[in-house]
Each structure stands twice: as C-alpha cells, then as structure tokens.
C-alpha cells in the first residue's frame, strides 16, 4: 500500500493539511509535504522533542517571535550569479529576515540554558548579521523606500527634483491664473496632473488660445486638457532627473549586492532555519489546537494508549456541541492482537482508526491527543484494510479486494508490523469467510504480528479466548436497556451484536424476530445471552468498584484535609499562646516598674495631694497605652488572617491545569509577508509599511490601504487563493437560461396594451434579451396617436448599450421600433 493511500485510509492526509495551512512560508509547507513516516526511534524522538519544546514556547514564552517568517531562499539564490542585483522589495524582505533571525537568537540567548535542549541545538550554528542590518538601515527607511541619504548623488538628484517640481507647479498655477483672467478657462478650474503631466482644462473652442499640446478630451467632448509649452522643458528636466534617480538607486543596490555576496551561504542557511522554525511552529500550533502531548517510546515494545482521542472525530463532534469518549488501548507481547467485536455503530471502526492514526502521527513526528503517559513502539510498517476497495476496471469485488489486501499483508508481515483490519472476513458467505479469516488470524498470530481487528464472527471470538493465542477479545460496550452504544472499549470480553434487540428497537414485527431467533438456533442465542449477562455483570461490578474508589478517594481527601487543618490549628494555638505569654510578661514587667515608680514618687512627695493625683493619672495613662497596644496587636492578627483567607480564595478560583489560550498573533506586519484584503478576499504580498498605510502587491497591481483592511495569512492560504484567482474562467450556463433562449422570440407585439402594462412587458422583454445575448429585437406597437411609440422609445434610450430606431417604412415604419443591443 502506498503512503498516500495509507494516509488517506487513516485520515492523516487531513492532519498534514491542517499543519500545512498554518505555515507562513513555502519552505515550511514543502517540509510538511515531504516529511515522511519514520522507522528510526532516534529520529522520531528528536522530531517529537522539537515539536514539544516549540509547543511549550508558544504556550509560555511571549517574547518568542511568531511573525516575520517569509521566504528568502528564492531571491537569495538568484544573487549568487555574478552581475545580479537585489531589488528594493527583496531588500525589504532581507531586512525582515535578518531582524527575525536576530530576535530568535536574542530569545535563546536570554533564557536559561537547558530548558529547550533540542531547539538550542538547532539554533547553535546560527548567528546574526549586524553589519548587513546596519548597511540595510543606511539604505532603506522604515517604510521600505530608499533613503535620500543612501548616497550623496541620490541626495542631490532628489533635491533638484523637489526644486523642479515646485517650480513646475508654481508655473502651471501662474499659467492657469492668467488664462482665468483672460476668460479662456473657467474660474473654478484647477491644474490636472495626468501621467505626471500638468494639464490645463480648457473649453474645446478655446484650446488653441494656450500654446501647448492637447493630451486628452473629456467624455462630453466639451473640455480639452492642454499641456502648456512653457512647462514642457521643465517636465523634460524632471523626467531626466527621474532617470538619473533610477540609475543611482540601481548602482546603490548593485554595490550592496556585491557587499552581500560573501554572506550569501550563511544567509541561505539562516533563511532555511527560519523555514524550519516556521515548520515546527505549525506542528506545535496544530498540537495545541488538538490538545496533544508527547508520548513515550516504549522500552519493552508494548503499546499503551491512555485517554486517546481521534483528532478529526473530536473536532467534528465539537462543531455539533458534542464531546468524544476517550479510549484506552493496551497491547503487550503476551496479547499483541486486539479483536474488537460489538454492535454496528458502536465505535469499533473508530477505535481501530484511532490506534492507526495516532501510531502514524507518532512515527511521523507529531504530538498525539492522548495522555502523556502513553507508550508506543516503533513499527517498520503499517498495513491497513479499511473500507470497500472494489474496482470494476480490475474486476475486483469487495471480498476480492479484501483478499488482495491479505495477500499483500502476508508477504512481509512480521513482529515489526502493525495490521489494522476492519470487518475481518466479511463480504462473502459467513461460514467460508469466517474460516478464511480464522486461518489468516492464526498465521499472523504465529508470525508475531501486532494488530487491531474488528469482526462479528463468533469463531474468531472463540479463537481469541484460547489460552495459547496472543489475541485478546475486546468489546464495545452497549446499554442493553436503552439499546444505545456507550463508545467504551472493554478488554478481555467478546462483544455482543445485539442484532435481535436492535431489531425489536426498530419495531420489526415480534413474530419475525422470534422466528429469526429460532432459525439462529438455541446455541447461538444462548451464547449471545451469556455474553450479555457476563458484560452486564462485569459492568455492574466495575461501577461498584469505581464507586468504592471514588468513596475511598473522597475519604482520603477529607482525612488529609482535616489532618492538615488540625495541624494548622495546633500551630496557631501554640503561636497565639507564645505571643500571649510574651505579651503578658512584658505587661507584668512594665506594670511592676510603673507601680514602683508611682510608690516612689508618692513617698518622695510625702503623699502630697497634688503629687498623688498626678502619679495616679500617669498610671492610668500607662494602662490606657497597654489597652491600645492590645487592640493594635489584635487588628494586626485579623488583617493577617484576612490576607491568608483571600490568598486561599484566590487559589480556589484558579482551577488547576488551566492554561492561557493561545494569544492571537496581532504583531505588526512585515515586508514580504502574505496578506488578504478583508473586504474582497484578494491576496498579495506586503511591499511597504508606514504608520498609517500598507502597500500590497496583488498580481501586477500595487495598492496602498490602511493596515486594518488586511489580515496576515499562511503561504498555503496565499497559494490556494492565488490559484483560484488566476484560474481560467469557466463558463456555466444554467439549463433554465438555455430553455428560455430556445423559446425566446425576437418580435414583441404590444398593440392594444395600456401604457403602464406595455412598459412593464417591454422591461422584462429587454432584460431577457440582454441576459440571453440577443443582437437585436423588434417591438410592434402600432402607429395610433404615437404616444405608445414615444414613451417606449424614451424609456429604451435610458438603458445603456441600446440603440433605438424606427423600422424601415417598407416593413412597418413608425409602427415598429428596432432595438439593437
């Protein structure tokens, strides 16, 4: 099976396109297209590590540059030829490339070494180009134009240009003013500039009164635009200065190219590095979109997918507001083939495709939507038999194509092969199909092949139940009460088809269902009934075990929380008692000193009344200060507790595991980036940027507009839009239009109609004629009073593109109007 067919069967072609659509450069898009399925564990490990490190950078590092990635290799390779020269637009692109490279190197130079080891290894050979950037800064301004100061000669040329243009403008104004005074030109007329020429609008009757050349005439033919002879010489001087300017700019660019040529090998390596970073960012961005993580390469060769989700199905369900049920699949060397059975539409094929797609993504080097504790081995080949490959040209029926797949499988299948077979053995007579399927299963089991297989055959379920096989049964669980799938995989038990229950749910007559059960035989019905009973008991047991686990977990959590709170209370109690003890000691010491002082003062004053009163007041003041100190300490404790409570509440509001959404890339546009014009969908390339406008090249047209009118797009989107825009026009003719054209008559007779009705009929008639591309039509209105003819012709003359006249007098004259379209 070719890789393209294998990828289409598994759905990896859509994953590849999802990544390519994120690429900003053609280099990265080509890398996505060229990257192949790998069987080398070291290569896979490196690819996964690079993508995972870039994923972490996009999640957590705001300073990493995510814009400014443009294709520079094509124009840099062209500069390797002797005598070649860079153009202004490419110089602007080179400025963007070197600046982006500098920002990436600065980022990796500013972080701690060892955080992103694989990316650091990728960056280590790169270096910035300060001298190249300095030279570009001397030549280009911030809007992408050549500076006046790029050379002394260019400065002189542009200074003379400004002087000449000011003189010619002043002279043209003087000529206009004089002509207005003489009445040759209207008083409200202005000088008009067309194709760089200063023209005076003059009435056609007076155009010879101003000496010069007539360059244009208005649509009405009443106004001529004259270039005065006096300013032609000045315009010739300006034109010559423009030629000098172009030559000088070309000389500057050629000189810069000669300076740049020794740097070209390093610049080409840097441009390829930027493309590689763009490729990794596209993979990482897609991984973030899929909520994917990096699995582990299995050490013992086992396959263990935990909480695996099919990325394409998950996105499809999300659009419908539904969620996917994760799968857990485990294969070991003892049980390396999983045989899944169960009812139709129960999720068997989804489980098989999930294993196949995630294994292919893993060996391609892409992160996968599973738990990061998942482990996957490395296989040399994947063999897939999914869907109907019947081919009438090659005389292949559904079953013939299945057998062709099996023949190819058995050619190379070994212990390094993963097989994925959907509806194993179906498509032919059940007894023979089941026997052939069992023989193939026994052979691939003997060879040590790994695989996931879906089936309805009971003999295969019985084979998987054998103790001497490496095949394990798996069942897609089903709610027998509701007759609805649960989309959960149960390993170790075969699945039930629930055919009779489903028939009853679909309201098939009970007599027919009973008859079918009788025809199937008591043994078959008994097996199915026992399988249901085992599955039901197993599910009930699992629910009880799950409930016990949840109860134990909740109890452990409560016990741990109470122990933690008790420990905190003990610590707080000890701290409060210690503080109180210290405070009491301080109070006692202070009170004792104060009392002793009071007694001493009273004794020394010999108990004089005034002295005693003062001593008592001082003691009361001391007691009041103690009370204030106590109140202040209590307030400090309360504030501390409030602060701690607020911190706890804040932690509770922040749910664990939540991450910031990927920031929208709203960085300013850079020269050379691809953009789309929002209002009309046209795509182009940024040529110049200023603070208020951006210049975009769309095909052969250069347009200047506000930056808010454009949006950055990937190189894939640019390519797709360009392909549609410049695709050859296809003409599609509606069958209804063809029918109307065949039944259309070029003669319309409205004689006897009222004027209003006649005008309505003529309007629809002319619309049909224009739509069908008819060359001319005849409207027969008769002569009468002439009112109908006059009003109809008056109306027809208001429609652009129509020529109206009376019919020849020999074939109707004024009674018939001829309309040519």
């Amino acid at each position: 099976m070719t890789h393209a067919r294998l990828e289409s069967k598994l759905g990896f072609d859509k994953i590849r396109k999802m990544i390519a659509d994120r690429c900003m450069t053609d280099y990265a898009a080509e890398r996505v297209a060229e990257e192949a399925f790998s069987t080398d564990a070291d290569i896979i490990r490196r690819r996964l590590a690079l993508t995972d490190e870039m994923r972490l950078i996009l999640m957590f590092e705001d300073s990493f540059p995510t814009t400014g990635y443009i294709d520079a290799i094509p124009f840099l390779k062209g500069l390797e030829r002797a005598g070649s020269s860079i153009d202004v637009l490419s110089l602007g692109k080179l400025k963007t490339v070197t600046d982006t490279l500098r920002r990436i190197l600065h980022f990796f130079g500013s972080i701690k070494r060892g955080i992103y080891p694989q990316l650091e290894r990728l960056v280590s050979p790169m270096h910035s180009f300060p001298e190249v950037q300095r030279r570009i800064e001397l030549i280009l301004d911030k809007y992408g134009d050549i500076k006046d100061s790029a050379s002394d000669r260019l400065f002189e040329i542009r200074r003379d240009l400004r002087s000449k243009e000011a003189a010619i403008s002043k002279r043209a104004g003087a000529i206009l003013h004089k002509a207005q005074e003489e009445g040759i030109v209207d008083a409200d007329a202005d000088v008009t500039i067309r194709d760089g020429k200063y023209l005076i609008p003059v009435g056609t009757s007076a155009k010879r009164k101003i000496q010069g050349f007539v360059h244009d005439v208005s649509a009405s033919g009443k106004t001529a635009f004259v270039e005065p002879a006096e300013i032609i010489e000045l315009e010739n001087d300006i034109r010559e200065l423009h030629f000098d300017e172009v030559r000088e700019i070309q000389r500057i660019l050629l000189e810069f190219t000669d300076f740049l040529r020794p740097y070209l090998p390093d610049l080409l390596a840097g441009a390829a590095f930027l493309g590689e970073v763009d490729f990794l960012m596209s993979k990482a961005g897609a991984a973030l979109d899929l909520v994917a993580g990096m699995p582990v390469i299995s050490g013992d060769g086992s396959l263990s997918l935990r909480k695996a989700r099919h990325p394409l199905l998950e996105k499809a369900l999300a659009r419908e507001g539904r969620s996917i049920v994760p799968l857990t699949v485990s294969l070991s060397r003892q049980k390396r083939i999983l045989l899944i059975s169960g009812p139709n539409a129960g999720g068997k094929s989804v489980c098989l495709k999930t294993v196949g797609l995630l294994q292919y993504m893993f060996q391609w080097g892409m992160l996968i939507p599973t738990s990061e504790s998942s482990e996957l081995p490395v296989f040399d080949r994947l063999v897939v038999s999914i869907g109907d490959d019947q081919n009438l040209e090659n005389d292949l029926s559904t079953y013939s194509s299945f057998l062709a797949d099996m023949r190819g499988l058995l050619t190379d299948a070994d212990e390094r092969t993963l097989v994925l077979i959907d509806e194993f053995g179906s498509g032919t007579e059940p007894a023979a199909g089941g026997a052939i399927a069992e023989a193939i299963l026994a052979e691939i089991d003997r060879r040590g092949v790994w695989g996931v297989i879906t089936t309805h055959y009971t003999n295969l379920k019985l084979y998987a139940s054998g103790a001497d096989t490496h095949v394990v049964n798996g069942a897609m669980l089903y709610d027998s009460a509701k007759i609805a799938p649960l989309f959960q995989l149960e390993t170790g038990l075969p699945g039930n088809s629930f055919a009779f229950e489903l028939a009853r749910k679909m309201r098939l007559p009970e007599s027919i269902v009973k008859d079918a059960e009788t025809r199937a035989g008591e043994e078959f019905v008994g097996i199915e009934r026992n399988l249901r009973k085992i599955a039901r008991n197993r599910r009930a047991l699992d629910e009880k075990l799950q409930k016990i686990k949840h109860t134990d977990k909740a109890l452990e959590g409560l016990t741990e929380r109470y122990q933690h709170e008790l420990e905190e209370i003990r610590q707080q109690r000890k701290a409060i008692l210690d503080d109180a003890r210290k405070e009491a000691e301080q109070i006692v010491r202070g009170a004792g000193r104060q009392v002793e002082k009071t007694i001493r003062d009273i004794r020394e004053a010999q108990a004089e009344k005034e002295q005693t009163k003062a001593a008592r007041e001082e003691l009361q003041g001391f007691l009041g200060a103690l009370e204030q100190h106590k109140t202040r300490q209590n307030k400090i404790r309360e504030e501390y507790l409030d602060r701690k409570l607020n911190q706890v509440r804040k932690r509770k509001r922040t749910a664990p595991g939540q991450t910031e959404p990927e920031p929208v890339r709203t960085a300013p546009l850079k020269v050379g980036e691809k953009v789309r014009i929002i209002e009309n969908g046209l795509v182009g390339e940024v040529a110049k940027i200023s603070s208020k406008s951006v210049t975009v090249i769309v095909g052969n047209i250069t347009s200047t507009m506000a930056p808010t009118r454009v949006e950055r797009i990937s190189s894939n989107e640019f390519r797709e839009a360009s392909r549609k825009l410049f695709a050859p026009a296809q003409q599609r003719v509606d069958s209804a239009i063809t029918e109307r054209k065949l039944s259309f008559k070029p003669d319309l007779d409205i004689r006897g109609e009222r004027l209003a009705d006649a005008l309505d009929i003529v309007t629809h008639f002319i619309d049909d004629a224009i739509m069908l591309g008819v060359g001319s039509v005849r409207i027969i209105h008769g002569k009468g009073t002439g009112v109908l003819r006059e009003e109809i012709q008056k109306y027809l003359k208001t429609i652009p593109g129509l020529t109206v006249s009376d019919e020849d007098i020999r074939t109707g004259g004024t009674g018939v109007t001829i309309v040519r379209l």
Side-chain angles (χ1 to χ4, degrees), residues 84-203:
S84 58
S85 175
I86 196 169
D87 56 61
V88 177
L89 178 60
S90 297
L91 187 60
K93 290 182 179 181
L94 183 61
K95 180 180 180 181
T96 301
V97 166
T98 53
D99 184 59
T100 305
L101 191 59
R102 177 192 61 78
R103 289 159 59 205
I104 292 175
L105 294 174
H106 177 265
F107 168 80
F108 282 102
S110 63
I111 62 173
K112 185 179 178 181
R113 291 185 61 83
I115 299 178
Y116 307 112
Q118 292 294 336
L119 286 174
E120 288 172 11
R121 203 168 291 121
L122 185 68
V123 172
S124 59
M126 297 297 113
H127 52 81
S128 58
F129 301 89
E131 183 58 23
V132 173
Q133 286 187 285
R134 188 187 70 81
R135 292 288 292 266
I136 294 174
E137 291 292 336
L138 292 175
I139 297 172
L140 284 185
D141 62 17
K142 62 180 180 180
Y143 306 122
D145 294 318
I146 302 293
K147 289 181 177 179
D148 293 355
S149 58
S151 75
D152 294 339
R153 176 61 181 151
L154 185 61
F155 181 83
E156 294 173 1
I157 292 170
R158 288 186 173 173
R159 182 190 60 195
D160 293 345
L161 260 174
R162 286 190 288 270
S163 175
K164 294 284 186 182
E165 286 170 349
I168 198 172
S169 178
K170 185 176 180 181
R171 186 59 191 149
I175 294 170
L176 175 66
H177 184 65
K178 182 180 178 182
Q180 287 172 332
E181 289 179 347
E182 294 175 356
I184 301 172
V185 178
D186 293 340
D188 58 348
D190 288 318
V191 175
T192 301
I193 300 176
R194 295 192 179 184
D195 297 328
K197 299 181 181 298
Y198 288 77
L199 307 178
I200 308 295
V202 185

Side-chain angles (χ1 to χ4, degrees), residues 183-186 189 194 200-208 214 216-226:
I184 301 172
V185 178
D186 293 340
R194 295 192 179 184
I200 308 295
V202 185
T204 50
S205 59
K207 63 184 179 182
R208 299 190 182 281
V214 177
D216 201 358
V217 179
S218 66
S220 64
K222 295 180 180 180
T223 305
F225 295 91
V226 180

Side-chain angles (χ1 to χ4, degrees), residues 593-711:
R593 285 196 298 270
Q594 188 64 30
V595 169
E596 288 175 2
K597 180 176 179 298
T598 303
I599 294 171
R600 189 169 57 253
D601 289 344
I602 291 172
R603 285 176 178 172
E604 289 176 357
Q606 295 179 354
E608 291 183 8
K609 187 177 181 181
E610 292 297 328
Q611 292 288 354
T612 303
K613 184 179 179 181
R616 285 175 178 171
E617 288 176 353
E618 186 175 353
L619 183 59
Q620 290 294 330
F622 173 73
L623 293 174
L626 284 177
E627 186 64 30
Q628 289 179 2
H629 174 72
K630 183 179 179 181
T631 303
R632 188 165 57 252
Q633 289 299 320
N634 289 338
K635 186 176 180 182
I636 291 171
R637 289 193 190 97
E638 288 174 2
E639 289 176 352
Y640 171 78
L641 290 173
D642 287 341
R643 190 163 60 251
K644 287 294 182 184
L645 284 172
N646 288 332
Q647 289 175 357
V648 171
R649 291 191 191 103
K650 187 175 180 181
R651 281 199 298 270
K652 286 182 178 178
R653 283 197 298 268
T654 305
Q658 290 183 347
T659 57
E660 291 288 328
E662 183 182 358
V664 180
R665 296 178 181 178
T666 55
L669 293 169
K670 300 264 174 67
V671 173
E673 289 189 320
K674 311 291 192 302
V675 293
R676 179 192 291 113
I677 301 172
I678 296 170
E679 60 196 28
N680 56 24
L682 293 176
V683 297
E685 191 175 89
V686 177
K688 295 179 184 177
I689 301 171
S690 67
S691 56
K692 296 182 179 179
S693 66
V694 57
T695 301
V696 181
I697 299 174
V698 182
N700 295 325
I701 300 171
T702 301
S703 180
T704 302
M705 61 195 71
T708 55
R709 291 178 56 195
V710 299
E711 59 182 357

Side-chain angles (χ1 to χ4, degrees), residues 34-49:
E34 293 169 359
E35 191 86 323
F37 177 89
S38 176
T39 58
D40 188 314
D42 292 334
I43 292 175
I44 294 169
R45 189 177 288 107
R46 181 174 180 275
R47 289 178 181 178
L48 291 172

Side-chain angles (χ1 to χ4, degrees), residues 1 5-12 310 348-358 360 382-390 398 401-406 409 418-426 452-454:
M1 180 177 286
R5 181 165 168 250
L6 177 61
E7 290 183 7
S8 176
K9 289 279 187 182
L10 294 175
F12 184 75
H310 193 290
K348 300 190 302 295
S349 298
V350 170
C351 181
L352 177 142
K353 290 181 178 179
T354 301
V355 174
L357 178 57
L358 299 194
Y360 197 96
L382 268 64
V383 181
V384 175
S385 178
I386 301 173
D388 186 358
D389 284 334
Q390 61 176 310
T398 301
S401 66
F402 163 74
L403 293 176
D405 286 343
M406 295 303 99
L409 181 156
L418 175 67
V419 301
L420 305 163
I421 307 173
D422 195 24
E423 299 295 346
F424 194 26
S426 63
V452 179
I453 299 171
T454 70

Side-chain angles (χ1 to χ4, degrees), residues 531-548:
L531 285 174
R532 283 199 303 276
K533 187 176 180 181
I534 292 169
R536 188 163 54 249
N537 293 340
R538 178 69 177 270
R539 189 160 63 252
L541 180 61
D542 286 345
E543 287 174 358
K544 288 181 179 178
L545 287 173
Q546 194 69 20
K547 189 175 180 180
I548 291 170

